[in-house]
Amino acid sequence: MKKLLLTIFLCLVCTTSAFSKNKKEIALENCADESFINYEDESFKKTMGSSRGVIVSTWGKLKRGEELLNQGYALNEKVDKAAKAYEGKQVPEEVLMGWYNMRNRARNYIIAGYNHYGLYADDIVKKTSINKKTKNEEYANFLINCEKLHNETPYGFELKWGNK
């Protein structure tokens, strides 16, 4: 019985230490997370809303964010179907204006959806694994920049970012 308990204990210790992160990895991830969460691309924001919201929407789902995005996509589909009905025909000016207004409403829903994700980016980023996050090039660039900072002053970097 003692041998069995000792074996189980050793297995648990080995597996938890194999999956635990060292101070450097924790500090790098904390730095990249905070840099990513505080970043906003102003040119992107004008056209599509929160750029970090676009990215984190692929990492986790929020009910309200999905509702807004789906409303926008549904309106776009509605316009596309209506346009197919007029294929090869003259489209009246009022119909074109209606489509234009509907596309604008769709765009506003989509922007609101991504902005909603942007508001909750902090929570989603913390819950997402580093492997999933680094598959995104923009996040990976933040991690690389943090690694460069770590190489300049490793001790200070780990003190600053290790406990966040």
Side-chain angles (χ1 to χ4, degrees):
M1 183 69 175
K2 286 182 182 179
K3 286 183 181 180
L4 178 64
L5 288 173
L6 181 62
T7 305
I8 292 171
F9 175 75
L10 288 175
C11 288
L12 286 172
V13 169
C14 290
T15 56
T16 52
S17 64
F19 293 112
S20 65
K21 297 177 185 177
N22 64 31
K23 274 186 170 183
K24 177 183 174 183
E25 291 169 337
I26 292 169
L28 286 171
E29 187 174 1
N30 287 342
C31 171
D33 285 355
E34 188 154 324
S35 300
F36 175 77
I37 289 166
N38 291 327
Y39 170 76
E40 196 60 67
D41 183 346
E42 290 301 321
S43 62
F44 189 87
K45 194 173 193 173
K46 291 176 184 173
T47 58
M48 287 302 294
S50 173
S51 59
R52 72 175 170 264
V54 172
I55 295 167
V56 299
S57 69
T58 64
W59 295 346
K61 297 297 174 202
L62 296 171
K63 184 179 179 184
R64 181 66 181 145
E66 286 302 303
E67 288 172 356
L68 290 166
L69 291 174
N70 289 335
Q71 284 178 304
Y73 298 143
L75 281 174
N76 278 332
E77 280 182 38
K78 194 173 182 179
V79 172
D80 292 341
K81 285 181 182 177
K84 284 183 182 180
Y86 278 95
E87 237 174 60
K89 299 176 187 174
Q90 179 70 25
V91 182
E93 188 67 32
E94 348 24 271
V95 173
L96 287 174
M97 279 307 292
W99 292 348
Y100 176 78
N101 291 335
M102 198 176 294
R103 288 253 190 240
N104 278 336
R105 282 197 347 249
R107 184 173 159 266
N108 289 338
Y109 277 122
I110 292 169
I111 289 171
Y114 288 136
N115 284 340
H116 187 77
Y117 271 104
L119 291 173
Y120 292 93
D122 191 26
D123 296 335
I124 295 172
V125 168
K126 287 178 184 173
K127 293 176 185 175
T128 306
S129 72
I130 188 72
N131 290 335
K132 191 171 187 178
K133 289 188 277 194
T134 53
K135 288 180 182 172
N136 178 276
E137 187 176 341
E138 204 163 332
Y139 182 89
N141 288 335
F142 286 114
L143 190 61
I144 289 167
N145 290 336
C146 288
E147 194 164 16
K148 288 176 185 174
L149 289 173
H150 178 270
N151 290 338
E152 290 175 11
T153 56
Y155 183 71
F157 184 89
E158 288 176 17
L159 283 175
K160 179 178 180 179
W161 294 105
N163 297 324
K164 294 235 176 203

